[in-house]
Amino acid sequence: MGQATSLDLLVDEGLLPPPAVCEMVFAWTTPWHASMCGMASRALGELVSGMPEVPWRLQVLWLENRHREAVEMVIEDMIAINPGSSPDWLRRRLTFRRDGTLVSWDLRHSNLQYLPHSFCMADCSGDLLLSHNQLSTLPGSIGCLRVGGTLHLGANALETLPKSFGKLQIKGDLLLNDNQLSTLPWSFWDLQIRGDLRLQKNRSPLLQELSDNKRGRKPRRRW
């Protein structure tokens, strides 16, 4: 056998897709799979520059609905940057369907200060609850997150939201109350929210008005 190349090693580590998987993924044509392929391409671009963010193996697990395995990889990343939390605590309120897909994840009071980029690959059909932590920032890839219920980010220490925040698709409520927000990114106006928006108790009093907009209606630009 010949000596393994650096690309072979990346494939073995799950950071690059084997050719067969690559052909399979890019053969899918539904809009959702197309978006996943786009994320995969961006991840590969980051690998080329020496900055891998999300292992290819994790992306495949979400694509194949092997969410239990995917969540375990995400938990490992979360513990690595949040030593004050524990794997057992993060697992305590996970809900899956019988087919293994993720329904909801309750991460309230989990001593989280940071979220890894791998967390943003999650596909949660129900509620994703992250309130009552110490999050001051969110990953730049947060726009890749899919939430079928409520996304609760209240009672944290968020000062800003990343530009990709406007790409979020939330079928329930978006709760950003009790943070330290003073401004919002322009992409915020592109948000797709089917439920209520809550921005009470942030730094800017102008954000209070946005909480009156229901069922995904875009608020008027006042600043």
Side-chain angles (χ1 to χ4, degrees), residues 88-95 104-108:
D88 291 339
W89 183 265
L90 298 180
R91 296 187 190 103
R92 77 194 193 287
R93 291 180 179 174
L94 271 167
T95 305
S104 63
W105 197 355
D106 186 347
L107 289 164
R108 292 176 293 180

Side-chain angles (χ1 to χ4, degrees), residues 73-89:
M73 292 185 67
V74 173
I75 288 176
E76 289 183 12
D77 292 344
M78 294 172 74
I79 294 299
I81 58 177
N82 295 282
S85 190
S86 70
D88 291 339
W89 183 265

Side-chain angles (χ1 to χ4, degrees), residues 13-202:
E13 291 296 321
L15 294 175
L16 278 179
V21 173
C22 191
E23 292 175 3
M24 175 187 69
V25 172
F26 282 92
W28 287 328
T29 57
T30 65
W32 182 77
H33 285 127
S35 67
M36 294 298 289
C37 290
M39 285 186 283
S41 298
R42 290 192 292 275
L44 295 180
E46 290 161 349
L47 282 168
V48 172
S49 63
M51 297 176 60
E53 289 191 350
V54 180
W56 176 265
R57 186 169 298 165
L58 177 59
Q59 299 182 44
V60 171
L61 291 176
W62 287 113
L63 284 169
E64 294 181 345
N65 290 332
R66 294 160 60 186
H67 291 185
R68 291 182 184 273
E69 297 172 66
V71 165
E72 287 301 316
M73 292 185 67
V74 173
I75 288 176
E76 289 183 12
D77 292 344
M78 294 172 74
I79 294 299
I81 58 177
N82 295 282
S85 190
S86 70
D88 291 339
W89 183 265
L90 298 180
R91 296 187 190 103
R92 77 194 193 287
R93 291 180 179 174
L94 271 167
T95 305
F96 295 92
R97 289 196 177 93
R98 289 185 178 180
D99 62 2
T101 56
L102 178 62
V103 176
S104 63
W105 197 355
D106 186 347
L107 289 164
R108 292 176 293 180
H109 302 282
S110 295
N111 293 321
L112 297 176
Q113 294 181 295
Y114 309 100
L115 294 177
H117 283 282
S118 57
F119 183 87
C120 302
M121 290 293 300
D123 184 359
C124 182
S125 61
D127 296 338
L128 184 55
L129 309 179
L130 287 155
S131 66
H132 298 90
N133 285 289
Q134 295 86 47
L135 299 172
S136 59
T137 61
L138 296 173
S141 53
I142 193 69
C144 299
L145 191 65
R146 294 168 57 88
V147 183
T150 291
L151 176 58
H152 197 343
L153 287 163
N156 276 286
L158 294 173
E159 298 179 358
T160 60
L161 299 176
K163 294 180 180 179
S164 68
F165 199 84
K167 297 180 181 180
L168 280 169
Q169 297 183 29
I170 304 168
K171 296 183 179 179
D173 302 334
L174 173 59
L175 311 181
L176 286 163
N177 53 286
D178 296 277
N179 278 287
Q180 300 296 316
L181 296 171
S182 57
T183 60
L184 298 172
W186 282 107
S187 64
F188 195 86
W189 307 102
D190 297 324
L191 268 173
Q192 299 182 36
I193 309 170
R194 296 187 184 179
D196 293 346
L197 171 64
R198 297 183 188 175
L199 282 162
Q200 297 96 331
K201 298 183 179 180
N202 276 283

